[in-house]
Amino acid sequence: MILKSQVEWALHCCAILAGLPEGRYLSTKALAELHGLPKEYLSKALQSLSQAALVDTTLGPSGGYRLARSSSEINFLDIVEAVEGKARSFTCTNIRENNPCRPAGYCDSKPCAVARIMWEADEAWRDTLRRVRLSDLVGILSEEVRPDLWQSTFEWVLKRAG
Amino acid sequence: MILKSQVEWALHCCAILAGLPEGRYLSTKALAELHGLPKEYLSKALQSLSQAALVDTTLGPSGGYRLARSSSEINFLDIVEAVEGKARSFTCTNIRENNPCRPAGYCDSKPCAVARIMWEADEAWRDTLRRVRLSDLVGILSEEVRPDLWQSTFEWVLKRAG
DNA sequence: GGAATTAAGGATATAGAATATCCGCAAAAC
DNA sequence: GTTTTGCGGATATTCTATATCCTTAATTCC
């Protein structure tokens, strides 16, 4: 059970977009260079963010991506689900129905108990991600990343933002 | 991010083994028939449980599997990790190191903040699973499964348990 | 208007993991 | 000694993640 690497990419890209000044865009090319990622493939992850309406896009030179709403109104689950999908990590195939002792026409009143427990854990995972806002990440980074790197990165981005 | 179907199989098999009388064993063949699963492949899942020391095995006719400890001393995480592995669902590839603005020899004091948050969610998932004991599942099933099916299944198992 | 740049989406290729089967071995039961 | 069992290795198949390429339409700038 491993998340796609695109999830990591999307989270880092959103953290960068969160630092963009109002109304400016950053291109796939710039985001790929900044993170050392394959441009074409990263583009797919960004398209997922776009389809989930987490980012706005614009075409042409000086085009690219920006957040569709403020970084305090976007949480980790939004981003993770945009890339990874909303399907639960545990899928119940109802193997209890294969029990040879089952009377014909036996009808279960509830979903399988095993599945319900696994889904509960899945919800706990989602709850944790839902509670962390993108702005929280930016806050942590701004404290932890050494000021010189923080600032030079910001300048690097601004130079390329349309 | 999808768990292997073997996780579902292992959980259901453990629930059955939990109902086995002291000192008796149930074979892969019986467990596969009961759940309508491919015997050879289910065997791999049971081997994982055995390697994790969750079950004891014995060879020969009347051989098979039984729980290595009581069902109240085995939790869901034990079983899930035995089959799925203990690796975290989010793997950090440290793409922050690819930042072209990084001074040579820059050294991070902590793991990436993105990873730490993702790992926190992973821990919440594991915590939930850790809190559910196998005996809890058996308790739920004994209340929910219709008594006639519950009993006939129990008899079916006993007839095949060595 | 024309050239360059961009996101979007479709088609395709590659790598690796999940799923599944088969075989030979050693231990235990009878 | 025969049968049954778990175990491990080898192999095949299917599916997903990863990755690249190409076309199209929108936008910017000259």
Side-chain angles (χ1 to χ4, degrees):
Chain A
M1 187 190 59
I2 304 252
L3 290 164
K4 318 190 205 196
S5 54
Q6 287 191 335
V7 169
E8 182 185 14
W9 304 356
L11 288 166
H12 281 276
C13 286
C14 284
I16 293 295
L17 294 182
L20 271 185
E22 184 80 17
R24 303 187 63 181
Y25 295 85
L26 195 62
S27 70
T28 306
K29 183 158 173 272
L31 286 166
E33 272 180 38
L34 181 60
H35 295 111
L37 301 173
K39 181 168 98 73
E40 308 282 356
Y41 193 34
L42 171 62
S43 164
K44 301 296 185 187
L46 298 172
Q47 282 174 43
S48 297
L49 296 178
S50 173
Q51 283 172 345
L54 296 178
V55 296
D56 289 333
T57 69
T58 186
L59 291 176
S62 84
Y65 298 88
R66 71 176 179 201
L67 293 185
R69 38 186 207 267
S70 99
S71 64
S72 61
E73 293 169 318
I74 294 176
N75 62 45
F76 263 55
L77 186 62
D78 292 328
I79 300 168
V80 170
E81 283 190 338
V83 172
E84 187 69 32
K86 302 196 176 198
R88 289 188 275 220
S89 59
F90 180 90
T91 49
C92 176
T93 62
N94 248 320
I95 59 178
R96 60 180 174 175
E97 288 180 359
N98 301 327
N99 185 334
C101 305
R102 260 195 174 220
Y106 185 98
C107 187
D108 294 296
S109 54
K110 296 184 182 182
C112 178
V114 168
R116 271 154 40 211
I117 292 168
M118 294 303 294
W119 291 339
E120 197 184 313
D122 198 272
E123 251 322 295
W125 179 74
R126 291 184 146 77
D127 269 342
T128 304
L129 294 179
R130 211 173 349 240
R131 275 195 275 268
V132 182
R133 295 172 297 182
L134 182 53
S135 54
D136 297 329
L137 173 63
V138 176
I140 295 172
L141 289 174
S142 70
E143 284 182 9
E144 285 182 4
V145 174
R146 237 169 54 186
D148 59 334
L149 176 54
W150 183 258
Q151 193 188 335
S152 59
T153 302
F154 192 66
E155 285 164 8
W156 189 97
V157 165
L158 275 190
K159 202 183 301 176
R160 285 156 183 84
Chain B
M1 187 191 57
I2 304 255
L3 290 163
K4 317 192 206 193
S5 54
Q6 287 190 336
V7 169
E8 181 186 15
W9 303 356
L11 288 166
H12 280 276
C13 286
C14 283
I16 293 295
L17 294 182
L20 224 44
E22 184 80 18
R24 304 187 63 180
Y25 295 86
L26 195 60
S27 70
T28 305
K29 183 160 173 271
L31 286 166
E33 273 180 37
L34 181 61
H35 296 111
L37 301 173
K39 180 168 98 73
E40 309 281 356
Y41 192 33
L42 171 63
S43 166
K44 301 296 185 186
L46 297 174
Q47 283 173 43
S48 298
L49 296 179
S50 173
Q51 284 171 347
L54 296 178
V55 297
D56 289 333
T57 69
T58 186
L59 293 176
S62 84
Y65 297 88
R66 70 176 180 202
L67 293 185
R69 41 187 205 266
S70 100
S71 64
S72 60
E73 293 170 317
I74 295 176
N75 62 45
F76 264 54
L77 186 62
D78 292 329
I79 300 168
V80 171
E81 283 191 337
V83 172
E84 188 68 32
K86 301 196 177 197
R88 288 189 275 218
S89 60
F90 180 89
T91 49
C92 175
T93 61
N94 248 321
I95 59 177
R96 60 179 174 176
E97 288 180 1
N98 300 328
N99 185 335
C101 306
R102 264 199 168 214
Y106 184 98
C107 187
D108 295 296
S109 55
K110 296 183 182 181
C112 178
V114 168
R116 270 152 43 209
I117 292 167
M118 294 302 294
W119 291 339
E120 195 185 313
D122 199 273
E123 251 323 294
W125 179 73
R126 290 184 147 77
D127 268 342
T128 304
L129 294 179
R130 212 173 346 242
R131 275 195 275 269
V132 182
R133 294 172 298 181
L134 182 53
S135 55
D136 296 330
L137 172 62
V138 175
I140 296 171
L141 290 174
S142 70
E143 282 181 11
E144 286 181 5
V145 174
R146 234 170 55 189
D148 58 334
L149 176 54
W150 182 259
Q151 193 188 335
S152 60
T153 302
F154 192 67
E155 285 163 10
W156 188 97
V157 166
L158 274 190
K159 203 184 301 178
R160 285 158 183 82

